[in-house]
Amino acid sequence: MSGAVSASEALLGAVRAGRMGEAAGLLDGMTDAERRACLPALKDLRKELRAAPWDAASRKAYPALHAAGAACHTGAAGTATWLTAADLRWSQASPGVLLHVLGDRERDWLGDVAHRLAERPPLAQVPYELMSGLVRLSGCPVPTTETYVVGWIEQVGSLWQRGDTILQRLRQDPYTAELVAAVFEIPDIGSRLDWLFGDGPDSWFNAVAQLTREGALDRKATVDACVARLLRGGVPSDCRVFLRLLTALELTRDEERERAADWLALASDAVSTVASHAQSVLGSLTLDGELTPRQLAEMSGGVLFRTEKKLVRAQLVLLGKALRCDPSSAAELLPAVAQAFGHEDTDVQERALKLVERHLDVVPPEVRGEVVDAAEELSPGLRVRAAETLGLRGADRVPEPYVELLPPAPEPARVPPAPDSAVELAEEVGALLASGGDVAAFERTLDGLVRHGYRDRDALAEALKPVVTRLWWVDADPRYPSVEKYFRADPHGLEVVLATLLGQVSTATLHRADQHGPMTDPCVHSAVAAAFNARLWEAAHRLSTDPLPFLLATPTWGSGLLEPDELVARLDEYRRLGARPGETDFAQALLRVRRDDSAASAAAAERAAALGTAEGNRLALWLTTDGPSLPWSSRRTSGVRILLELGELDGVPGEFPPAFQRIGRPVSLFKARAYCAHYWDRAERHHWLAVVPGRRELVAARLLRELSSVAVEGTRGDASVLPLLAEAPGEAGEAVHLGVAYGLGARHPEDRLSAVDALLVLAAQGQLDTERLGADLGQLMRREAVKPLRLAESVRTAATTGAYATVWEILRAALPVLLADLATDGAAASARGFGELLAVAAECAELTGARGRMAHLAQAADRRGSSRLVTQARRLRATLDHGVAA
């Protein structure tokens, strides 16, 4: 026993000192019993090192500890667990050392360890050299898990270390067949194969293809596995990689023919690149007479419903060739062609109609009837043509009048009262901190914090503790002034109120912030942001000095508007309690109070004056005088952008606090900075509309540069404010319409959808000026701030919701600007996507029965060629000349 203790002490001393060679030598002479006796001391050392700082000298023991602990475990499971432990991962022993200290075990034990390590997830970062060395020592079957196969792939690809080729390595590896077969079963393997091996003669793909030609790999099994992987689908990198491998295998005609069913499935459902390959294989088989008309019709049924226009057009070309080669196949193929009549692209519809017109005479009557019935799906313009050439039934019936389908205008929602209990309020706070909230949720929660802080601050603080534990300042070291600086620069929403309730911010800091606002805040957004922040600072400061019983400015409606009779009732309660209103809170209440109902305002003013308080008199005067009118605006250009400048807002009372006085200051393009703190932080923008409810132009003008960036610079997320601007009360003027115009041309789909939502809401409210929006879009496209292709996608989305007439009115005003450039210069400045825009306009004109003349359209329609632009210009002209309606 003393010998075992001596060996344990010697091993522990070598490990602690980081002497790897000495530790390995001691392990070589140990019995299993001696190793088990050493294990407790090694585990204690491991616990000790976990608590040591990262820069501690004791950390040099980690590699020796990693090797010694693995060697002293006598069970395979324990050894594998020790080798892959997270705390030992970053200072491991080398694979060579580990193989040395483990190599004297039984072969079955080594194989068990190898397979256990291979079953660990890739994040465990088990060295491939260790796993493969254990497989070699044990002679066990090679593991085919993700961790082992990925390690093998990376080892095969490390040419810079050895200088030979991938093909040579695969030839020399005795496990190549098993591991290549396993590659097809590993999820998301494509990204590793794609970047690691690339293209060229020494690529992984060419190496595998060569091994199949040499017979080292079973060719049929490899081809079947590759096709099966493509049928399974997956991430784009997987599809791309296995398609490249399939191409490198260079299938023979017999191999292609026997997999016809697979190509049919791939052409219908696979990603675009894979479907295109399958389509080309099937097309070749068709033209060689090795695909039956029934199979071609089955294939067409899947391909013609795809959204990729390139695939659909290629399929129609293939069908046309098949019909020319074998006219007798028309009975089976024309119903398949007719399925394209319902495609969203009218060019596809027209190609299909031409194909049907060319071959319809040779089909039986029942097939003709089936095709004619399908022609009902054609666009209105093509239905007129089909009525003449196909004898479309019911073509002479009077079309039903077009009815515009717009979403219902959003109804104003009341702000619920603050929660009654502190616990319920704390839950609301937790929800806001976790995921944010709208104006209503924020305002009711802020009011609840003020109310409960007035009633029982200690109970509220106790209820809040569990929900604010993740906020960094909760346990901040008081020796550092970081918390004070944090809340001096910005209230950070509700955080400043929460920190005040929990005693984490000083009254002096709150006083300075309440009196002087932010230290530096010169950006264009600061006018509304300063007012929003000032109210939060004031609420926090009053909580620590003279708590308010509740907030006067909590809105009645989610838009931020406050009913005048509610404000009068709150002032009356303040009078009863003898409470002193907050200066900033009362100023915000005045800006929010609704004054569009003169009778209600007059009655509320009378009751306010009867209160006999200074605030009551100010409210009475405010309700009986005209509020600040919208300032004048003027357009300015900045590069390709069109932006707005605002004049001074008249009518802001002089007794308003300084933060609210800033709302009336002019907005100057030349003084605005491109970037500021508010540019990066979008969390509070939706609250700015509630600072000045009914005056959304003030906010929209200040956000216009950010809104323009979604189209000009391709930024993401800034257009999310557009639906809120559309739903907000007040006039929708130049700034709102320009913002929507930029959003419709945004780079990212989610921003375009936000703009479409805003457009539809404005239209539903009767506040959309289609002439103004169309003119803005035309000018922005001319300046290349908005790309026609992006705009086409946006307006098509809006139209398909049922707003075809609205979209037509917008495009009727926008298109002549680009058509004029086309007529003058021969090529529009932004011709790419112009044809798509004309296609949307033509569809809207057809469905709504629009007629009349569009300036410069005739010149575009009279151009030579059959480009998308020319064909859609001709379609639009024909529609406007003849007045087609759905």
Side-chain angles (χ1 to χ4, degrees):
M1 187 66 182
S2 61
V5 173
S6 176
S8 174
E9 291 175 350
L11 178 62
L12 186 63
V15 169
R16 188 180 289 277
R19 298 191 293 270
M20 180 68 80
E22 181 182 342
L26 290 169
L27 289 166
D28 285 344
M30 285 187 181
T31 64
D32 283 353
E34 289 174 331
R35 294 185 182 191
R36 283 194 294 268
C38 294
L39 194 56
L42 294 174
K43 290 181 177 179
D44 290 340
L45 177 58
R46 180 180 172 187
K47 291 179 183 178
E48 177 187 330
L49 291 179
R50 283 176 185 163
W54 275 96
D55 58 350
S58 58
R59 297 195 62 81
K60 64 184 178 181
Y62 264 105
L65 177 62
H66 187 237
C72 289
H73 276 87
T74 55
T79 297
T81 301
W82 183 279
L83 286 170
T84 56
D87 58 320
L88 300 172
R89 186 175 302 161
W90 305 110
S91 301
Q92 295 185 15
S94 68
V97 170
L98 293 173
L99 291 172
H100 172 79
V101 299
L102 298 175
D104 58 351
R105 302 296 185 90
E106 295 179 358
R107 297 181 66 182
D108 290 345
W109 187 91
L110 293 173
D112 191 3
V113 173
H115 278 266
R116 289 178 183 275
L117 292 177
E119 288 168 0
R120 300 284 172 167
L123 289 176
Q125 299 180 354
V126 183
Y128 171 74
E129 294 81 359
L130 174 60
M131 294 185 291
S132 61
L134 291 171
V135 169
R136 184 179 65 253
L137 290 173
S138 67
C140 67
V142 65
T144 55
T145 64
E146 180 178 359
T147 294
Y148 194 91
V149 173
V150 168
W152 174 72
I153 288 172
E154 292 177 345
Q155 188 268 345
V156 168
S158 56
L159 295 178
W160 60 273
Q161 292 180 350
R162 294 177 53 178
D164 52 3
T165 66
I166 290 175
L167 180 58
Q168 289 170 338
R169 293 189 182 189
L170 293 177
R171 281 175 177 156
Q172 295 164 4
D173 193 326
Y175 301 114
T176 290
E178 294 95 322
L179 293 173
V180 167
V183 166
F184 295 101
E185 304 300 325
I186 304 300
D188 298 343
I189 196 69
S191 58
R192 297 179 182 273
L193 294 173
D194 202 9
W195 74 264
L196 192 57
F197 300 117
D199 293 314
D202 191 37
S203 70
W204 187 85
F205 313 101
N206 288 332
V208 172
Q210 180 62 31
L211 290 177
T212 62
R213 286 190 285 269
E214 295 174 359
L217 295 176
D218 185 292
R219 180 173 177 84
K220 184 177 186 305
T222 303
V223 173
D224 286 344
C226 194
V227 173
R229 186 58 186 265
L230 292 174
L231 285 168
R232 191 191 312 170
V235 296
S237 59
D238 276 6
C239 297
R240 182 169 57 249
V241 160
F242 290 107
L243 178 60
R244 287 163 66 185
L245 176 57
L246 186 65
T247 304
L249 289 170
E250 296 178 342
L251 272 59
T252 65
R253 180 46 54 93
D254 289 340
E255 290 173 325
E256 291 177 339
R257 188 189 309 110
E258 67 186 24
R259 292 173 176 81
D262 295 330
W263 307 129
L264 289 170
L266 290 172
S268 300
D269 300 321
V271 298
S272 182
T273 52
V274 176
S276 179
H277 176 79
Q279 185 184 47
S280 66
V281 173
L282 290 170
S284 179
L285 292 172
T286 297
L287 298 180
D288 288 348
E290 299 184 24
L291 201 70
T292 66
R294 183 179 298 276
Q295 288 176 307
L296 180 58
E298 178 187 348
M299 169 196 176
S300 301
V303 175
L304 293 178
F305 276 103
R306 295 185 66 112
T307 57
E308 301 94 332
K309 296 174 185 177
K310 183 178 179 181
L311 288 175
V312 174
R313 291 169 183 169
Q315 190 65 24
L316 290 175
V317 170
L318 175 60
L319 286 165
K321 292 179 179 178
L323 286 167
R324 284 197 299 273
C325 293
D326 182 12
S328 64
S329 64
E332 288 190 275
L333 295 184
L334 284 190
V337 174
Q339 294 180 64
F341 289 167
H343 198 275
E344 65 176 15
D345 186 356
T346 56
D347 281 352
V348 169
Q349 294 182 16
E350 186 172 10
R351 288 169 185 255
L353 181 58
K354 288 180 180 179
L355 206 53
V356 167
E357 290 170 343
R358 197 176 300 133
H359 298 278
L360 192 61
D361 293 339
V362 299
V363 302
E366 61 273 14
V367 175
R368 181 184 182 91
E370 183 180 349
V371 173
V372 169
D373 288 343
E376 293 286 349
E377 300 296 323
L378 289 167
S379 66
L382 290 176
R383 278 209 303 273
V384 172
R385 172 175 160 181
E388 300 172 355
T389 59
L390 306 183
L392 187 62
R393 289 187 287 271
D396 56 345
R397 69 175 183 268
V398 178
E400 296 181 2
Y402 171 77
V403 178
E404 185 84 338
L405 296 175
L406 292 172
E411 295 290 334
R414 276 190 171 270
V415 176
D420 290 330
S421 71
V423 173
E424 184 183 354
L425 176 62
E427 293 175 354
E428 298 272 351
V429 170
L432 277 174
L433 293 176
S435 58
D438 57 13
V439 169
F442 181 87
E443 290 288 345
R444 73 186 291 262
T445 304
L446 176 61
D447 184 48
L449 291 172
V450 171
R451 287 175 183 269
H452 286 278
Y454 177 80
R455 297 174 192 168
D456 190 341
R457 176 171 174 168
D458 292 339
L460 176 59
E462 190 65 27
L464 288 172
K465 286 179 181 178
V467 301
V468 299
T469 53
R470 294 188 178 181
L471 296 175
W472 71 271
W473 45 259
V474 171
D475 297 318
D477 191 332
R479 293 176 298 174
Y480 298 101
S482 55
V483 176
E484 303 296 331
K485 290 181 179 179
Y486 182 71
F487 288 117
R488 177 66 185 88
D490 193 286
H492 301 282
L494 292 179
E495 287 189 41
V496 70
V497 179
L498 298 173
T500 301
L501 289 167
L502 295 174
Q504 292 295 109
V505 59
S506 69
T507 302
T509 295
L510 294 174
H511 178 72
R512 286 194 298 271
D514 183 32
Q515 294 298 312
H516 305 292
M519 292 175 285
T520 56
D521 201 2
C523 71
V524 70
H525 314 98
S526 63
V528 284
F532 175 73
N533 290 342
R535 183 161 166 257
L536 292 168
W537 272 317
E538 180 187 72
H541 182 237
R542 289 292 296 269
L543 272 172
S544 63
T545 55
D546 181 16
L548 297 168
F550 53 83
L551 292 176
L552 294 172
T554 302
T556 307
W557 305 100
S559 63
L561 287 173
L562 172 60
E563 291 297 329
D565 55 342
E566 287 193 32
L567 181 53
V568 173
R570 292 173 187 174
L571 287 175
D572 189 22
E573 182 65 12
Y574 261 65
R575 179 187 60 79
R576 188 186 69 81
L577 295 171
R580 178 174 61 88
E583 182 183 8
T584 302
D585 185 40
F586 183 60
Q588 178 65 88
L590 291 180
L591 279 180
R592 283 179 171 173
V593 72
R594 190 168 65 88
R595 296 191 290 177
D596 55 354
D597 185 338
S598 57
S601 295
E606 185 177 348
R607 292 195 300 274
L611 295 177
T613 63
E615 287 76 18
N617 292 333
R618 286 179 60 188
L619 175 59
L621 180 63
W622 180 263
L623 289 172
T624 53
T625 56
D626 293 332
S629 58
L630 286 176
W632 58 265
S633 63
S634 60
R635 294 193 170 212
R636 295 287 186 269
T637 59
S638 176
V640 299
R641 290 174 167 87
I642 298 175
L643 301 174
L644 288 181
E645 289 189 335
L646 296 183
E648 187 170 355
L649 181 67
D650 296 328
V652 178
E655 62 268 22
F656 268 26
F660 284 83
Q661 291 288 341
R662 297 173 67 177
I663 294 176
R665 294 179 184 175
V667 177
S668 173
L669 172 64
F670 303 103
K671 294 182 180 179
R673 294 183 301 170
Y675 302 105
C676 63
H678 303 107
Y679 180 87
W680 305 111
D681 183 9
R682 306 186 183 109
E684 294 177 357
R685 289 183 187 176
H686 58 290
H687 293 293
W688 294 350
L689 286 162
V691 172
V692 283
R695 300 174 180 85
R696 53 182 160 182
E697 282 287 293
L698 295 178
V699 178
R702 287 171 167 82
L703 292 175
L704 204 51
R705 181 173 288 276
E706 284 78 20
L707 291 172
S708 69
S709 295
V710 301
V712 177
E713 299 173 7
T715 58
R716 187 193 297 267
D718 285 302
S720 61
V721 74
L722 286 174
L724 300 175
L725 282 169
E727 293 175 11
E731 178 185 346
E734 279 190 294
V736 171
H737 282 79
L738 260 178
V740 172
Y742 282 119
L744 292 173
R747 175 183 178 183
H748 297 287
E750 61 269 31
D751 286 317
R752 294 198 294 270
L753 284 175
S754 294
V756 169
D757 288 344
L759 184 153
L760 295 174
V761 168
L762 289 172
Q765 294 173 337
Q767 296 177 330
L768 181 67
D769 187 335
T770 55
E771 188 76 23
R772 168 182 279 172
L773 181 58
D776 287 342
L777 287 168
Q779 292 301 323
L780 291 174
M781 284 189 289
R782 168 180 278 175
R783 299 176 65 85
E784 300 188 50
V786 166
K787 305 294 190 295
L789 188 59
R790 295 176 186 170
L791 176 60
E793 294 177 3
S794 296
V795 293
R796 178 178 282 113
T797 301
T800 53
T801 65
Y804 289 97
T806 299
V807 171
W808 164 245
E809 293 299 326
I810 294 169
L811 294 180
R812 186 174 66 174
L815 290 174
V817 179
L818 293 186
L819 289 170
D821 290 345
L822 195 67
T824 304
D825 304 329
S830 301
R832 185 174 180 271
F834 193 11
E836 294 297 326
L837 205 54
L838 285 168
V840 178
E843 182 180 4
C844 292
E846 290 171 351
L847 290 170
T848 58
R851 303 191 68 174
R853 177 181 174 275
M854 180 177 286
H856 310 292
L857 178 61
Q859 292 93 320
D862 290 337
R863 290 162 67 97
R864 296 180 179 178
S866 57
S867 66
R868 178 79 164 162
L869 189 154
V870 173
T871 57
Q872 294 304 316
R874 292 169 183 167
R875 174 189 171 194
L876 179 57
R877 181 175 63 175
T879 300
L880 295 178
D881 287 346
H882 301 294
V884 179

